[in-house]
Amino acid sequence: MTVTIYDVAREAGVSMATVSRVVNNNPNVKPQTRKKVFEAIERLGYRPNAVARGLASKKTTTVGVVIPDISNMNFAEVARGIEDIATMYHYNIILCNADKKKDKEIRVINTLLEKQVDGLLFMGGTVTDEHIQAFRTSSVPVVLCATADGNNTIPSVDIDHEKASLDAVKLLIDHGHRKIGMISGTLQDPALGYARYHGYKQALENAGIPFNENYVRVGNYRYESGIEAMKFFLDLEDRPTAVFAATDEMAIGAIHAIQDAGLKVPEDISVISVDNSRIASMVRPQLTSVAQPMYDIGAVSMRLLTKLMNKESTDQNKYVLPHDVIKRQSVAQK
Amino acid sequence: MTVTIYDVAREAGVSMATVSRVVNNNPNVKPQTRKKVFEAIERLGYRPNAVARGLASKKTTTVGVVIPDISNMNFAEVARGIEDIATMYHYNIILCNADKKKDKEIRVINTLLEKQVDGLLFMGGTVTDEHIQAFRTSSVPVVLCATADGNNTIPSVDIDHEKASLDAVKLLIDHGHRKIGMISGTLQDPALGYARYHGYKQALENAGIPFNENYVRVGNYRYESGIEAMKFFLDLEDRPTAVFAATDEMAIGAIHAIQDAGLKVPEDISVISVDNSRIASMVRPQLTSVAQPMYDIGAVSMRLLTKLMNKESTDQNKYVLPHDVIKRQSVAQK
DNA sequence: CTGTTAGCGCTTTCAT
DNA sequence: ATGAAAGCGCTAACAG
């Protein structure tokens, strides 16, 4: 039924070792022989069996990528960076979606390891002890991308989430705002939730602005929750003159809530966020937002992984990539 | 270095066959023996080698999914449908991104086949003869999802793209519009481009409305191209009173172009599109759009694939799932 | 219920 | 430049 290397060998009148050499581009084959073999391969429609190859060579030339949420544009962008570099170094990548569930993440990590990937890229989610445990049992290198573990025991590539939101809030402060609301993500989420919240507090503190509990609302990263949170702020007696949202979507929700209340952005209330996703330019006014280098995070982490897989030395264990605030139209002077 | 089934066998004082049985949940093992084996596994930190297993059993319990563009929300949704069903039937799925490039699609299909996946799901893109050729050489079943080949030789699950856009345009006509512009995708794209364009023409024809070349602009599915196209319409002497866009993003671009020109949606110009992506509710006015059951397309195609992999008979070769027009606020009576 | 024994399709020494 | 042969780690008859 299936054509094996042995069939090709017979067809070409050579040994299977020679066929293997041809398939693997080993130079020690007479051009004529090579030609014969290629013809036989063509005639028989031979397709190498990567599973057998992986078993024999103990290498699969594939790296596993666990992506926490396939429908999140940011992660998709990271994945693109990973892929481009992987292709460059002749690795296949297999993407496994973990659907934002921790147990699925663990399961997927193990599946990937069982599949004998040559390396593992863990994207996004929170890194718990259970994760660390799973990584420890791995005999192949692991790189965290767009996330990091608390103790930095595992190589990682990420941005400084706290600094990113600090910079966002600082821009508001620099525009004269002192009553600044925050629409946060869940504080249980270390990167997007807690770090951004903490950056917000830090920025206030740096400017000597007292923290006001009423100025913080927790959302779920989505548009609707941005609307809800903003409505709350709007109803406040002493409402904020500027709002910082942890994601673009929530920021857009906030903008619409403001507009629905008959107020204007940024004239009445300024809005800023972190993400700089494509939708940031798809609102009126266009959204000022902190850009994170998602593609680069993917690219750098894949490059790091190739070094690790090659047992090359790496200059660092933890890479922090710079972010950038993209000024558009949603922030104005107080 | 690595722990094998043989090590476990020795540790537990049984044969490797028994260990294999335990690992594979074969009932023919005395509970006591099973326990011994599990303990040995635990002690040694044994992890089954899926590659060796795949070679021996000629099954990998994984299906390959080629996704044309990982940053496209629609496909992400299809993937979710695929995954949920795959999990249900105990298949792992590995996602390979083809980056909207045909040659990469072909390459990825071959890689997946070399990796001995038990089945293949091809999502999205155009199906050319070259694809068909690659599928023919496959010894495992293939299902097309969210696309179909011209001759329906390959099992597929899709919606009726032409009918979807026909229904959208019909809604406009039913609201009294007769001057209807279309912002199309590239006409080279059979599903999203040509089919939607054709549906538009068909709807006009059904209503006895003459086709006007000036009322069709080709965009690239993106927001900016929606703006461009709409600006063109706005400059027309006899401009359309309604616009049908092939994607939500272009529709939103159109809405903003209309608003920037000092006109109102839907009072002055109605807008409708196909996609019903999350951003459809993230504009003012909210966008009326035709919903496609992306999740279901994924789920149904995966289910179909499981049947095919099991050599079960299937009632159909081509499944066409129903779409639904979601009425929001961007369409008004002429 | 358990063990023995062939392979699965390929890579990789080691000879020649 | 080529071939022979020994595995890679596991499953799947087949025996018992």
Side-chain angles (χ1 to χ4, degrees):
Chain A
M1 179 72 232
T2 61
V3 183
T4 75
I5 203 174
Y6 183 75
D7 300 319
V8 176
R10 208 173 10 148
E11 176 81 11
V14 298
S15 73
M16 38 187 292
T18 300
V19 178
S20 174
R21 287 189 187 98
V22 171
V23 171
N24 291 293
N25 266 312
N26 183 319
N28 290 348
V29 181
K30 215 195 308 180
Q32 208 193 38
T33 314
R34 182 181 304 275
K35 186 158 170 288
K36 267 197 311 193
V37 172
F38 272 132
E39 284 167 1
I41 286 176
E42 186 71 18
R43 226 172 305 140
L44 266 37
Y46 167 71
R47 175 167 10 226
N49 180 327
V51 172
R53 208 196 277 227
L55 183 57
S57 69
K58 312 191 103 183
K59 269 182 297 175
T60 53
T61 64
T62 104
V63 335
V65 177
V66 4
I67 179 167
D69 176 11
I70 195 190
S71 53
N72 181 314
M73 289 294 221
N74 281 349
F75 295 139
E77 187 67 9
V78 175
R80 283 193 46 241
I82 292 172
E83 280 213 26
D84 286 353
I85 304 300
T87 304
M88 211 169 285
Y89 286 86
H90 304 289
Y91 281 100
N92 301 129
I93 85 127
I94 69 189
L95 235 44
C96 289
N97 183 26
D99 225 14
K100 287 176 278 190
K101 298 197 201 89
K102 182 183 147 195
D103 60 324
K104 196 157 180 198
E105 282 173 8
I106 305 282
R107 210 176 333 135
V108 153
I109 291 168
N110 284 316
T111 305
L112 252 12
L113 258 17
E114 286 180 8
K115 283 196 193 304
Q116 310 300 118
V117 293
D118 294 341
L120 200 60
L121 245 21
F122 181 81
M123 201 191 293
T126 309
V127 180
T128 67
D129 286 344
E130 211 171 330
H131 290 85
I132 307 264
Q133 192 48 41
F135 295 146
R136 273 206 202 305
T137 68
S138 161
S139 52
V140 297
V142 175
V143 171
L144 306 176
C145 60
T147 187
D149 62 313
N151 311 320
N152 300 320
T153 61
I154 302 182
S156 65
V157 180
D158 201 1
I159 63 159
D160 185 337
H161 296 278
E162 183 169 330
K163 183 70 168 34
S165 78
L166 187 149
D167 288 348
V169 177
K170 187 167 180 306
L171 183 79
L172 262 14
I173 294 171
D174 290 346
H175 277 75
H177 295 279
R178 294 184 62 85
K179 293 187 284 183
I180 301 173
M182 166 162 196
I183 307 176
S184 162
T186 137
L187 301 180
Q188 274 63 265
D189 179 342
L192 275 52
Y194 188 73
R196 288 184 186 177
Y197 170 68
H198 205 255
Y200 162 79
K201 286 182 78 166
Q202 195 62 51
L204 295 186
E205 194 179 319
N206 292 352
I209 301 173
F211 175 76
N212 178 342
E213 249 189 19
N214 273 330
Y215 283 0
V216 176
R217 298 300 285 176
V218 173
N220 64 357
Y221 307 119
R222 297 305 192 86
Y223 177 74
E224 289 74 17
S225 72
I227 294 183
E228 288 316 310
M230 192 67 224
K231 278 186 181 159
F232 176 88
F233 291 147
L234 256 13
D235 284 344
L236 250 32
E237 234 166 75
D238 190 27
R239 68 171 182 236
T241 62
V243 170
F244 164 58
T247 66
D248 282 357
E249 261 199 45
M250 291 195 296
I252 293 180
I255 289 178
H256 285 158
I258 294 168
Q259 293 170 340
D260 289 351
L263 299 172
K264 300 191 90 174
V265 177
E267 291 80 352
D268 297 308
I269 300 182
S270 291
V271 176
I272 193 171
S273 69
V274 185
D275 259 358
N276 192 44
S277 54
R278 244 144 53 72
I279 51 170
S281 326
M282 289 168 57
V283 236
R284 298 306 158 89
Q286 293 186 18
L287 183 62
T288 292
S289 185
V290 179
Q292 308 167 269
M294 302 315 280
Y295 179 92
D296 295 352
I297 288 178
V300 171
S301 57
M302 184 64 213
R303 179 65 185 107
L304 176 57
L305 187 61
T306 62
K307 286 185 184 167
L308 261 19
M309 291 188 295
N310 268 336
K311 300 184 191 327
E312 292 173 33
S313 68
T314 59
D315 19 327
Q316 301 170 49
N317 192 40
K318 182 183 173 71
Y319 293 77
V320 177
L321 269 34
H323 52 263
D324 192 14
V325 6
I326 308 293
K327 291 174 187 152
R328 295 202 183 80
Q329 306 148 356
S330 63
V331 173
Q333 206 69 32
K334 165 81 187 65
Chain B
M1 179 72 232
T2 60
V3 182
T4 75
I5 201 174
Y6 183 75
D7 299 320
V8 176
R10 210 174 5 152
E11 176 81 12
V14 299
S15 74
M16 42 188 288
T18 300
V19 178
S20 175
R21 286 189 188 100
V22 171
V23 171
N24 291 293
N25 265 313
N26 183 318
N28 290 349
V29 181
K30 215 197 307 181
Q32 206 193 44
T33 315
R34 181 182 304 275
K35 183 155 172 291
K36 267 197 312 190
V37 172
F38 272 132
E39 283 167 2
I41 287 177
E42 187 72 19
R43 226 173 304 139
L44 267 36
Y46 167 72
R47 175 167 9 227
N49 180 328
V51 172
R53 209 196 276 227
L55 183 57
S57 70
K58 312 192 103 184
K59 269 182 295 175
T60 54
T61 62
T62 104
V63 336
V65 177
V66 3
I67 179 168
D69 177 11
I70 193 190
S71 53
N72 182 313
M73 289 295 222
N74 281 349
F75 295 138
E77 188 66 10
V78 176
R80 282 192 47 241
I82 292 173
E83 282 213 27
D84 286 353
I85 305 301
T87 304
M88 211 169 286
Y89 286 87
H90 303 290
Y91 280 101
N92 299 129
I93 87 125
I94 70 189
L95 235 44
C96 288
N97 182 26
D99 225 15
K100 287 176 277 191
K101 298 196 200 88
K102 182 184 148 196
D103 61 324
K104 195 157 181 196
E105 281 172 9
I106 305 282
R107 210 176 334 135
V108 153
I109 291 169
N110 284 316
T111 305
L112 252 11
L113 258 18
E114 287 180 7
K115 283 196 194 304
Q116 312 300 120
V117 293
D118 294 340
L120 200 59
L121 245 22
F122 182 82
M123 200 191 294
T126 309
V127 180
T128 67
D129 287 344
E130 211 171 331
H131 290 85
I132 308 263
Q133 192 48 41
F135 295 145
R136 273 206 201 305
T137 68
S138 161
S139 51
V140 298
V142 175
V143 170
L144 306 175
C145 61
T147 186
D149 63 314
N151 311 320
N152 300 322
T153 60
I154 303 182
S156 65
V157 180
D158 201 2
I159 65 159
D160 185 337
H161 296 280
E162 183 169 331
K163 183 71 168 33
S165 78
L166 188 150
D167 287 348
V169 177
K170 186 165 182 307
L171 184 79
L172 262 13
I173 294 171
D174 290 347
H175 277 74
H177 295 278
R178 295 185 63 85
K179 293 188 285 182
I180 300 173
M182 165 161 197
I183 307 176
S184 162
T186 136
L187 300 180
Q188 273 64 265
D189 179 343
L192 276 52
Y194 188 73
R196 287 184 187 178
Y197 169 67
H198 205 256
Y200 162 78
K201 286 182 80 165
Q202 195 62 51
L204 295 186
E205 195 180 318
N206 292 352
I209 300 174
F211 175 76
N212 178 343
E213 251 190 17
N214 274 330
Y215 283 0
V216 176
R217 298 300 283 174
V218 173
N220 64 357
Y221 308 119
R222 298 304 192 89
Y223 176 73
E224 289 75 16
S225 72
I227 294 184
E228 289 314 311
M230 193 66 224
K231 278 186 181 160
F232 175 87
F233 291 146
L234 255 14
D235 284 345
L236 251 30
E237 234 167 76
D238 190 29
R239 68 171 183 235
T241 61
V243 170
F244 164 58
T247 65
D248 282 357
E249 261 200 43
M250 293 195 294
I252 293 179
I255 289 177
H256 285 158
I258 294 168
Q259 292 170 339
D260 289 351
L263 298 172
K264 299 190 91 175
V265 178
E267 291 80 353
D268 298 308
I269 301 183
S270 289
V271 176
I272 194 172
S273 68
V274 185
D275 259 358
N276 192 43
S277 54
R278 243 146 51 74
I279 52 170
S281 326
M282 289 168 58
V283 238
R284 298 305 159 91
Q286 293 186 20
L287 183 62
T288 292
S289 185
V290 180
Q292 308 167 269
M294 301 316 280
Y295 179 92
D296 295 351
I297 289 179
V300 171
S301 56
M302 183 65 214
R303 179 65 185 106
L304 176 57
L305 187 60
T306 62
K307 285 186 185 164
L308 261 19
M309 291 188 296
N310 267 337
K311 301 187 189 329
E312 291 172 35
S313 69
T314 59
D315 19 327
Q316 302 171 48
N317 193 40
K318 182 182 171 72
Y319 292 78
V320 177
L321 268 35
H323 52 264
D324 192 14
V325 6
I326 308 294
K327 292 175 186 149
R328 295 205 183 79
Q329 306 148 356
S330 64
V331 173
Q333 206 69 32
K334 165 84 188 62

